Amino acid sequence: MRPAAVLLLLLIEVALLDTGSLAAAVAVTFAATAAAGSALAACAVLASRCAPAVPRTRVRTAMRDREHRTAFLPQRDPDARGRMRPRAPGQALLTAAA
């Protein structure tokens, strides 16, 4: 956090010395982006430390249960009503023949 503050102070000083140019606007924009990024990183670190630890067995069980709930339906019942059966290769169609 301290290097970000030093960088911010340096960029503000450069921006104040060189007023009225595009470089000043770029410096202020960069400083604001750096400040927002460092604040976001700090919040992410704090949030990750506050999250409770989940045992690995519980994660595995949850993934297995989700896998059982989300079955791919055409593989589950290929003979269901209204479902087309795959056809064996036959004679080539005239449009596809070269």
Side-chain angles (χ1 to χ4, degrees):
M1 198 69 173
R2 193 170 185 95
V6 171
L7 179 66
L8 182 64
L9 287 175
L10 288 174
L11 288 175
I12 288 176
E13 182 180 334
V14 169
L16 292 177
L17 289 177
D18 191 23
T19 56
S21 70
L22 184 60
V26 170
V28 170
T29 303
F30 179 71
T33 304
S38 62
L40 180 65
C43 288
V45 167
L46 288 174
S48 68
R49 288 183 182 173
C50 295
V54 178
R56 290 181 185 219
T57 55
R58 189 170 177 187
V59 173
R60 265 193 311 244
T61 304
M63 289 171 60
R64 186 176 55 240
D65 290 346
R66 184 179 302 142
E67 181 181 321
H68 287 302
R69 283 193 311 264
T70 57
F72 188 61
L73 292 178
Q75 290 179 353
R76 198 168 179 191
D77 188 11
D79 292 326
R81 197 169 104 203
R83 206 165 275 151
M84 304 261 314
R85 294 291 294 162
R87 299 190 61 174
Q91 293 178 343
L93 297 173
L94 294 176
T95 57

